[in-house]
Amino acid sequence: MLSQCSAPNPSDPKVSSMSVPRPHLILPPFALLLLVLAACTAPVDRTARFNVVEATIPEMQQALADGRVTSRELVEAHLVRIATYEEAVNATIAVNPRALQIADSLDRERAEGRIKGPLHGIPVALKDIIHTTDMPTTGGALAFEGFTPPYEATLTANLEDAGAIILAKTVLTELANFMASGMPTNYSAVGSYGRNPYDPRRDPREGRNDGRPVVATGGSSSGIGTAMSFWAASVGTETSGSILSPSNQNMLVGIKPTVGRISRYGVIPITADQDTPGPMARTVTDAAIMMGALEGAAPDPHDPATMTCERPPDGDYTSFLNATGLQGARIGIPRAMYYDSVQVPGSDRWRGGLSDQMRAAMDTVIALLQQQGAIVVDPADLPSILDPDVANNLMLNGRSMVLDYGMKRDFNLWLASLGSDAPVKSLTELREWNLAHRSAGSMKYEQAQLDVADALDLEMDRPTYEADRARDLLLNGEHGIDEVMEALELDALLFPGPSSAGLAAKPGYPTVIVPFTFVANHGGPDFPEGWAPLPQPYGVSFTGGACSEPRLIELAYAFEQATKRRVPPPGMR
């Protein structure tokens, strides 16, 4: 075995704040972390036989069961990867100073024959808007730097009940990308710029050379560390695209659940109407294991929406991992706007469509589905896209107030739940704090979205909010996904990349995205002469109606097993 020494002492200043290195730090905390590990471990042949890079949760569990590795050694191996590559990709906002202590405790329980659940001894990470009480929860906002909330999120407790080790908090787009217009994905005042491991170079183009990566990371959740094998899997949150987008950009499997499937209690909100946590992993199997753990054994009394969907038997989503699940499945192809450009009614404008490279990729996907026995229904267009009635056409739907109103309502409720220790007591106070600390970097990209939300009056603006919410539900759900799926008796709709995110977000419907290929990184200004970006990942999404996760997981798993297209980040093994 590795030699055992006492775990790092959280009160030791060398390890009490294992946070991501930032430019003003003289000695990166991860360098100190390496020193701590070097003093505690002596590698031996047993662990040399187990490599955590791209390892799945079942592979880790089997190695633990066989005695080929301990939970402590898994944590140490992941910490070494963080220390080795963090400076290149900036995936981590904080590391749990108790991680090794927790691992030792779980190893003792395993030795005594007590296994807590499917994640016993497995290191995972959380987006830094999810409450933990052994690490700060900042949302990436400078006003919350160092703030440890007085209670942990329900999903954090559920993961711990399943045996998971919460190893770290991930970078994110500040306040889940509801602070500023034009803020790069995975940028925050606390964490700086996350970098895509598939091309972590800085963008050299004028107007974009502020530190952001040349290949977007997706956001607001981060898939960087999961793609890099810094941990086994991670938990993101989505209001509209924030699980699907980073999963796509980092060649991950992401499950954006039905709103209410997983508790939002103890998660910094945008709006309860659309917010949901969900797993991000390197395989469908790992994501399914995470889903069961995140959902927990019973609805959460702190979040009434958790009554929405019925749990699968024993909360086990791995029972839906069926490699032949595509046989006979009816998969719809929503051509209009999502594949093909379509004219906006009453105008000469056209919207949507794919590049030639993306179209070729999706043609390949459709052929693969047919080879696996799926019944491809093509086209399966959304009625709300083609409806000539202006009032019922999704493309003519104006800007909705739902997110702004929800932010004013739900963010203030969240602040109130923190009690007297909250760094600020209202959205207004946060905006004022940011203005007062601008010179410290509190609002590099300003705070336009917070300003718009805070300007609302929750009583006077309620009728507009309610009308917008009803219209969102109609055009995206009832007259959109629901209508086409019912009319054509579909099991799922197939979308290119994460393109169903905004559509499914409004009614709170689930999507599973699976890695598939790479496409050219186009868009924006030309690159300097002699400078070429690398291709970026591109996935495939299966979207369905409310509470359809079991079927979507089955379809996604069958597709994954037939293709196995995930590729780890180059040069970082």
Side-chain angles (χ1 to χ4, degrees), residues 366-395:
I366 291 168
L368 285 166
L369 293 176
Q370 292 171 323
Q371 290 170 13
Q372 295 300 309
I375 301 167
V376 174
V377 182
D378 188 1
D381 291 325
L382 298 174
S384 57
I385 294 292
L386 300 180
D387 199 316
D389 184 346
V390 171
N392 291 317
N393 190 283
L394 181 59
M395 293 187 292

Side-chain angles (χ1 to χ4, degrees), residues 321-379:
L321 301 178
N322 174 16
T324 62
L326 285 168
Q327 293 182 10
R330 293 178 60 83
I331 309 294
I333 310 300
R335 290 279 174 190
M337 195 168 81
Y338 297 96
Y339 291 72
D340 302 334
S341 184
V342 61
Q343 189 171 9
V344 178
S347 78
D348 58 0
R349 292 183 294 116
W350 291 73
R351 286 188 58 183
L354 297 175
S355 69
D356 290 343
Q357 193 175 17
M358 292 175 178
R359 182 179 299 279
M362 294 310 298
D363 287 345
T364 301
V365 169
I366 291 168
L368 285 166
L369 293 176
Q370 292 171 323
Q371 290 170 13
Q372 295 300 309
I375 301 167
V376 174
V377 182
D378 188 1

